Structure formats: C-alpha cells, structure tokens
Amino acid sequence: MLKTHTCGELRPEHTGQAVTLAGWVHTQRNQGGLIFIDLRDRWGLTQITIDQAATPAVHEAASDVRNEYVIQVQGIVHPRPAGMVNANLPTGAIEVQATALTVLNPARVPPFYINRDEKVDEALRMKYRYMDLRRQHMQRNIVLRHRVIKYIRDYLDAQGFVEIETPILFKTTPEGARDYLVPSRVHPGKFYALPQSPQQLKQLLMVAGYERYFQIARCFRDEDQRGDRQPEFTQLDMEMSFVEREDVLNLVEDLMTGIVEEVSDRQLLTRPFPRLLQRDAMEKYGSDKPDMRYDLAWADISAVATRSSFGVFQSAVKDGGKVKALRVPGGAAGLNNSQLRKLVEELEALAKENGAKGLSWLALAGEAGGEVRGTMAKFFPEELQAELFGLLGTEAGDLVLFLAGPAQALYPVQDALRRNLAERLELTDPAQIAFAWIIDFPLFEWNEDEHRWDPSHHLFTSPMPEDIPLLDTDPGQARGQQYDLCCNGYEIAGGSIRIHQREIQEKIFGLIGLDVEVARERFGHMLEAFEYGTPPHGGIAPGIDRLVMLLAGEPNIREVIAFPKTQQAADLMAGAPSEAEPGQLHDLHIRVVEKQ
Ligand code: ASP
C-alpha cells in the first residue's frame, strides 16, 4: 500500500509514529516558512505541516502543489499546538509534520470547487461526474447507499432469502412503460427487451421452489422523462411463496425500520406504519402517497355545507360531488388582513392550477371568541359555524379552506394545497421519516382513451378472492391484493399477492384487452408454468434510489446514483446515447431512417 493510514484515522494516541498518507490536496495554505496542506481521502482530512527550516526540500515541493493534486506524504504525527485544535474534525487534534512529499499525479484546475459544498451547475457536474463524486457530500451519499444495500443483504439472508440474478436480455415485462429493445445479431429482425422489472422471473422462481428470493435489480423503463425518474433504476426485488399480504407487509416493515434506525441518522416517526385504505387516502389527502410527517387531513363536510346559504356548495352536492374542508392549525395566526388575503390568493391560484373552480376560506381570530374572517363567514350562520368548527376541531388562529366539486376532481387540488401548506408551515423536516402502507387498491383503472381496463399495479396482481366474481360483472369494483409503501410523500414500494392460476390470469389478460393469441405469444411461458404446481406467492419491490434519497435528505435521486442520466436520458460524461458504427448496424440488420 502507498499509505499506512487513511486521512480520517490518526488521533493523539498515534503521536510520535512515522506514517505515510496518500490522497488529494484539499487545500494548500502557504504561510511563508510554513505550508499547511489538508490532505483528503474517502475517510477524511488530515492536516500536513511542512516547515521550511526543518525540511527545505519538502517545503519546496509542497509550495508547487495545487488543489486536487494526488500526493504521498511521509511524516511524524504530532499533537497540534494548543489553540490550533479543530474540534470539528475527527483528526483535528493532530497534524503530520512532513519529512517527504511525492507528487503522484498533478491535476488541472477543477471545473468547480471540490472542497466547498456549494451549488454547481448540474450539467457541469454530470460532465465531470468523477470530480463531482469526489465531493464530500456525494461520497457520503454513495457510502450510505452501500450501507443500505449491505443491511438489506444481511437482513434478508438471515431471513432465509436467496439472492438470484435474472437476465437483462429478456422478453417484455410490462410495468406500464415502453421497453428498451436490444436487436439480436444472431436472429435478424428479432429483439430482446430489457426488463422493466424481474416480475415474471421472480414468479417463475417461486414456481421453481425457491420460496424466498431477492435481488438488487436494475430495471429499465423508457418513459418520457417527467419528474425525477431515471431510465434505469435499482429496486430491491423480492418474492415469497406461501404468504399472505400480512407476511409481506410485516417483513418489509421490519426491514425498513432497521434501515432507518440502524443505517441512517434519520428519525422514524411512524411505528407501526399506519395502514390506509387507498380510497380513504384519496379522500383525506387527495393522494395515495401522502406525506405522513404531518397531519393536515381533509374532512368531508358535505352534510354541514349544504345547510349553509352558499349556492355553490349546495349544487356541488346535488350534482353528486362533495364539499371538503381542511383545517390548517395556526394557518391564520399572526396575519393581518392583507397578509391573510395574499396567502389565500396564492392558495387559490394553486388550487386553480390544479383544476379547482375556486377556493373559499374562513380564518379564526388569534384569540378565542374573536372575529371570524373569510369568504364563507356570511354564508355560515353562527350556529352552523360552531357545528363546523366542532367537526373540524378548530382552534383560535386556524385557517379553514373549502373545496367543492366532483370527488375525483378534488384530489389533485387537495394534494397540492396540502403539500404547499406543509412547506409554508415548515412541517417537512427531511430529518424525519414517515412510512405508511396503502392497501385495497382497485384492481383496474378505466382507460378512457383506449376504452379498456388498465391494471392499477400490473398484469399479475391477484384480485381479492371475494371479488373474483366481480371480474365478470363489474370489474371496476374489484379490489386487487396490491399494497404500496409510501414515505415522506413518495411511493417507495409497490407489490401484490399474485395470480397463480391459469384461468384467472387469462381472464385478466382478456379484461385489459390483450388478444388471446398475443397473450399466449408474450406470456405463454407464465401461463404454462401455472399448470405445473405453482405455490401461492406474493412480493414487493422497494425502490433503492428513492429510499436512499430520503435517508440522505437529498431532493432528487441523481444525488444518490453514481452515474445518473439527465432528464433527457443522456449521459453527459461519456456522451451516451451515441451513433453506432455503420458496421455494427449492418451486423444487426438495422438501418437508421432519417425522420422526415
Ligand atoms: N414488479 C413490481 C414493480 O416493479 C413490483 C412487484 O409487484 O413486486 O413495481
């Protein structure tokens, strides 16, 4: 080894030892007779001092080094002089007085500061990702990711799971996105599809009798890059045989709790994880991935609202819609009239962006019994106000927001307002982690454009046993044995108990409009496998990128992936995707046709 210790290792008890360190020059300060170098490696920083009087040749070499040079230093560990101790640095009580210094490799001036945690243009970071990854906060994230994965492997191994790799070159596995195709050279005109998930293969592993499978699996989905997604991402793919929903939920809950409490420095707020029916989550939060770090739940106040004199509320309910109210604790506290009006105007603009016709409100004065302000005050006589406030549990200083309309149309507005208010009220502390299970999803969603049912989860999700007759009579009412895990407002896992009988699987193919022939061509192997002794089974797949993002307190998953792609699915460092050589295309029987 070119070093005897890491740059994070030396302490006062090493005093007097001759050591060799190697790493990157984090900073160099030349104070004339003395040069200080902070030497950095993945483990930390160590201060090197070079004294011109004692070691003139070393001093000369040190005066030429620049930031990010790779150097090797030999020296003796000394306690730092009194008053020079840096309590913020684990190695801050010592320094290494250099006796030799070798430049192993110089460095050009970096495209951005490596030694400062400041915001850098993202395209530049991506182009020089290897430099970006050198920065301390990125190293922290990447190491955290490693620890999470290591914890997962150890935990599942102890639970009797086997890690099994499944192919990347395979056949279409639909998860609602487009496939990435790989042309076959050996079979002209034929293509492999990269897996959108190992879904079929893990089910086939259950048929094969492995009973408990997992894989840190790469998944590929060619989606329009909306939001914070990556064309390839990593999930913890799991499947278990002879299980019921409870078994999967309990195991994953225990695993997630361990990860948060033993690997991260985050605080776990919800234990046990609350379980919400999907329908209730939509009604209360307008979302099936609600952020549970804060409450802010919408209440259905249709019954009270129709007794107000506000015509909009009455007609909304008459047309089959709902009136919903959100109590914002302390939302009006300390605001004067114009501040309150400005707040409500901003909230109303947000509501309208999300499809609402308008937003009504009431604000309770800061002291009990004070004046009630807001657009709704005159429509709710005092007694009805009291009833409403009793229902919502309001207190002095609260703001109450109202929405009216068809239930479905209100969901996105409820969700947007809730998230926005949580930001304003600073209820979203990234140091806190709050999980919740969402259960009892409808099996299908109606696809208006294509005029057919789409699976809410995927093709292989089993209906609730008692809802199987509904597949023939009223598929829209059938519930699936699907469950999602949400965390801090993100869906971080989805899974289900699967279909393990051929007839039901074929029926689902039919309902989603898959032609029998096409279904057999694409999934014949699955249907056939179901005839050779398939155990009941189920599984789930938590997204590793998203989980680590939340544990690291980062705003997007690119911060926890070593070499991510941009929103346009490009790698700016290597320049991928790129054109292929004509010879390669020829071998693959492919011709590129210019778009007209
Ligand atoms: N294959 C599913 C997905 O990728 C997860 C599962 O059902 O286990 O979302």
Side-chain angles (χ1 to χ4, degrees):
M1 284 295 293
L2 300 184
K3 46 165 98 179
T4 56
H5 294 81
T6 72
C7 292
E9 203 175 338
L10 297 173
R11 299 286 183 276
E13 61 262 29
H14 295 96
T15 297
Q17 286 189 21
V19 296
T20 305
L21 300 183
W24 287 260
V25 174
H26 192 64
T27 57
Q28 187 252 37
R29 282 161 297 153
N30 194 334
Q31 299 194 344
L34 269 186
I35 294 177
F36 295 96
I37 291 175
D38 275 346
L39 191 63
R40 185 192 71 231
D41 65 13
R42 180 154 79 62
W43 291 271
L45 291 175
T46 298
Q47 177 165 290
I48 314 292
T49 50
I50 303 111
D51 183 351
Q52 185 169 31
T55 50
V58 182
H59 186 274
E60 197 180 326
S63 59
D64 287 340
V65 308
R66 299 285 169 261
N67 287 358
E68 300 312 312
Y69 273 36
V70 180
I71 64 170
Q72 184 191 41
V73 173
Q74 284 163 348
I76 309 292
V77 182
H78 285 266
R80 288 201 200 180
M84 306 286 273
V85 168
N86 181 351
N88 297 324
L89 211 59
T91 61
I94 57 96
E95 60 189 16
V96 171
Q97 293 182 5
T99 53
L101 185 153
T102 313
V103 173
L104 300 174
N105 201 351
R108 285 165 58 187
V109 175
F112 42 80
Y113 285 107
I114 307 302
N115 55 11
R116 294 189 204 164
D117 202 8
E118 59 185 23
K119 208 166 157 41
V120 178
D121 172 58
E122 178 138 14
L124 200 60
R125 291 180 60 199
M126 292 300 164
K127 180 160 162 47
Y128 296 98
R129 187 60 164 180
Y130 47 88
M131 296 297 275
D132 191 35
L133 285 170
R134 235 184 239 177
R135 300 201 296 164
Q136 272 169 335
H137 97 272
M138 289 306 289
Q139 295 203 338
R140 218 182 304 124
N141 290 352
I142 298 299
V143 173
L144 173 67
R145 185 183 178 109
H146 158 74
R147 298 222 181 293
V148 169
I149 292 176
K150 166 97 168 57
Y151 185 93
I152 290 172
R153 288 204 157 103
D154 292 345
Y155 176 91
L156 292 177
D157 176 64
Q159 301 285 331
F161 281 76
V162 185
E163 183 168 8
I164 305 175
E165 290 169 88
T166 54
I168 295 294
L169 296 177
F170 193 57
K171 207 169 157 149
T172 188
T173 294
E175 294 277 1
R178 259 188 221 103
D179 285 328
Y180 277 101
L181 294 179
V182 179
S184 163
R185 180 183 57 81
V186 183
H187 304 279
K190 295 199 171 161
F191 297 82
Y192 303 97
L194 304 186
Q196 292 184 35
S197 80
Q199 183 62 38
Q200 299 179 59
L201 294 153
K202 69 173 167 177
Q203 291 191 238
L204 293 169
L205 286 168
M206 296 303 105
V207 183
Y210 287 87
E211 296 204 27
R212 292 185 154 215
Y213 142 93
F214 84 99
Q215 178 178 196
I216 306 296
R218 196 60 67 82
C219 303
F220 304 86
R221 299 185 190 177
D222 186 2
E223 295 176 290
D224 295 328
Q225 297 300 306
R226 63 201 152 82
D228 178 24
R229 299 197 181 185
Q230 286 283 311
E232 55 180 306
F233 59 92
T234 307
Q235 63 187 23
L236 161 58
D237 197 45
M238 301 165 66
E239 199 72 12
M240 299 154 82
S241 293
F242 306 110
V243 285
E244 293 170 318
R245 179 177 78 188
E246 259 342 82
D247 305 301
V248 181
L249 301 196
N250 288 336
L251 183 113
V252 173
E253 189 159 329
D254 196 49
L255 170 62
M256 291 294 157
T257 301
I259 292 174
V260 176
E261 291 186 338
E262 286 173 46
V263 186
S264 83
D265 57 1
R266 308 281 123 171
Q267 179 200 1
L268 184 63
L269 291 188
T270 46
R271 182 86 168 119
F273 301 175
R275 295 190 183 183
L276 304 169
L277 301 184
Q278 191 258 0
R279 190 179 352 98
D280 291 349
M282 296 309 290
E283 290 299 319
K284 281 169 82 169
Y285 307 113
S287 164
D288 52 17
K289 40 179 187 291
D291 194 332
M292 303 301 287
R293 282 175 295 178
Y294 48 89
D295 189 24
L296 291 182
W298 290 86
D300 183 347
I301 56 142
S302 303
V304 178
T306 44
R307 281 154 49 213
S308 75
S309 55
F310 191 45
V312 171
F313 286 174
Q314 283 155 6
S315 48
V317 175
K318 195 148 84 257
D319 296 343
K322 289 187 172 163
V323 182
K324 296 227 171 130
L326 177 68
R327 168 185 171 232
V328 186
L335 301 185
N336 64 29
N337 279 340
S338 73
Q339 289 167 325
L340 192 56
R341 205 166 324 112
K342 180 165 172 291
L343 168 67
V344 180
E345 273 168 21
E346 286 172 14
L347 294 175
E348 177 158 33
L350 178 70
K352 286 183 173 167
E353 269 167 46
N354 285 279
K357 295 239 163 56
L359 180 71
S360 355
W361 60 282
L362 281 177
L364 279 70
E367 70 289 350
E371 186 205 357
V372 174
R373 293 172 286 176
T375 49
M376 283 302 95
K378 62 173 187 274
F379 296 109
F380 281 73
E382 224 163 87
E383 239 167 64
L384 199 59
Q385 272 184 26
E387 190 177 333
L388 176 71
F389 294 158
L391 193 80
L392 297 173
T394 53
E395 287 171 15
D398 286 357
L399 174 68
V400 179
L401 302 176
F402 300 87
L403 289 170
Q408 301 261 357
L410 297 184
Y411 297 152
V413 197
Q414 290 172 252
D415 182 36
L417 286 171
R418 187 171 178 270
R419 286 177 192 261
N420 181 284
L421 285 159
E423 288 284 331
R424 287 175 190 267
L425 299 169
E426 296 177 8
L427 303 175
T428 54
D429 180 354
Q432 298 179 327
I433 298 286
F435 290 101
W437 288 109
I438 313 293
I439 55 175
D440 282 13
F441 284 74
L443 188 58
F444 298 111
E445 285 159 7
W446 182 246
N447 182 332
E448 192 51 57
D449 299 336
E450 309 271 333
H451 246 79
R452 56 144 208 256
W453 294 106
D454 279 342
S456 336
H457 183 42
H458 52 54
L459 291 172
F460 309 108
T461 294
S462 166
M464 293 281 199
E466 63 271 31
D467 290 359
I468 289 177
L470 288 170
L471 297 180
D472 294 319
T473 54
D474 193 359
Q477 290 304 315
R479 289 161 307 156
Q481 298 201 58
Q482 176 193 347
Y483 29 82
D484 276 4
L485 182 62
C486 65
C487 180
N488 291 14
Y490 293 92
E491 179 195 324
I492 67 156
S496 58
I497 300 297
R498 324 297 184 185
I499 298 167
H500 66 280
Q501 305 103 322
R502 179 174 182 133
E503 322 76 74
I504 298 182
Q505 189 66 70
E506 284 191 321
K507 183 163 278 175
I508 301 289
F509 288 155
L511 280 164
I512 62 162
L514 209 60
D515 180 76
V516 183
E517 281 314 306
V518 176
R520 293 208 171 132
E521 194 275 315
R522 276 194 210 159
F523 305 112
H525 54 288
M526 293 282 285
L527 294 171
E528 198 178 2
F530 288 167
E531 295 180 327
Y532 283 100
T534 300
H537 58 286
I540 189 166
I544 301 271
D545 308 301
R546 189 75 60 200
L547 177 64
V548 178
M549 175 196 99
L550 292 170
L551 297 176
E554 291 288 1
N556 67 65
I557 59 174
R558 297 185 299 284
E559 300 298 317
V560 298
I561 299 174
F563 297 102
K565 296 197 172 48
T566 64
Q567 299 255 306
Q568 274 68 47
D571 179 317
L572 299 184
M573 183 181 67
S578 55
E579 271 104 39
E581 298 290 331
Q584 292 176 307
L585 291 178
H586 178 265
D587 287 350
L588 292 169
H589 325 280
I590 283 186
R591 191 170 337 143
V592 177
V593 179
E594 293 297 329
K595 228 182 184 160
Q596 294 300 311

